[in-house]
Amino acid sequence: MYDLKILLCDDSLLVRKKLKGALAEQGFTQLFEAADGEEAVAFCQTDTPDLVLLDIVMPKKDGIEALQEIKQINPSIHVVIASSVGTQSNLIKAIKLGANNFLQKPVTIEAIVDITQKIVDERGER
């Protein structure tokens, strides 16, 4: 369906599996996982995902730190911050650092599909 490379970064294995399964059902085939911000940054250094869904609260490197580093590696990577502690300060900080979007947890598949559709539309891949 869509040829987007999506990196799901959350310290919860359950959240990653749930999102991966739901996105696969939507026709996405290039789905990758990272358990923390460190893994997400390492992935972005060797590969170029179209979309990174980043949790804010994670061990080793949080979503805000990972966002900064990913945007330094490649500013064109579309980064969406997801957080259950959706404080206004995190939202503002994430947007200032280049986050393309911010989702409140629990993240719905509809919200992710909506975002991926926008990326596809922006790139003219209809």
Side-chain angles (χ1 to χ4, degrees), residues 19-124:
L19 289 173
K20 193 173 185 179
L23 286 167
E25 281 176 23
Q26 296 291 323
F28 294 95
T29 56
Q30 295 191 73
L31 301 168
F32 303 88
E33 295 179 45
D36 57 55
E38 220 168 69
E39 285 182 21
V41 170
F43 183 88
C44 292
Q45 286 171 331
T46 58
D47 218 318
T48 307
D50 297 293
L51 171 63
V52 176
L53 185 66
L54 266 183
D55 186 19
I56 283 188
V57 182
M58 293 183 292
K60 292 185 187 172
K61 188 171 289 188
D62 69 22
I64 298 290
E65 285 179 273
L67 164 67
Q68 273 182 293
E69 291 182 38
I70 290 167
K71 285 296 185 175
Q72 284 172 350
I73 294 164
N74 186 340
S76 71
I77 295 173
H78 199 97
V79 180
V80 175
I81 294 285
S83 182
S84 47
V85 290
T87 63
Q88 211 55 37
S89 64
N90 277 339
L91 169 62
I92 292 164
K93 191 187 259 184
I95 298 297
K96 279 185 180 167
L97 291 172
N100 300 86
N101 221 319
F102 190 89
L103 295 175
Q104 205 55 45
K105 279 183 155 186
V107 173
T108 65
I109 292 307
E110 292 78 24
I112 297 174
V113 170
D114 188 45
I115 287 166
T116 57
Q117 189 59 56
K118 285 181 183 140
I119 296 170
V120 170
D121 290 348
E122 281 170 17
R123 296 182 182 180

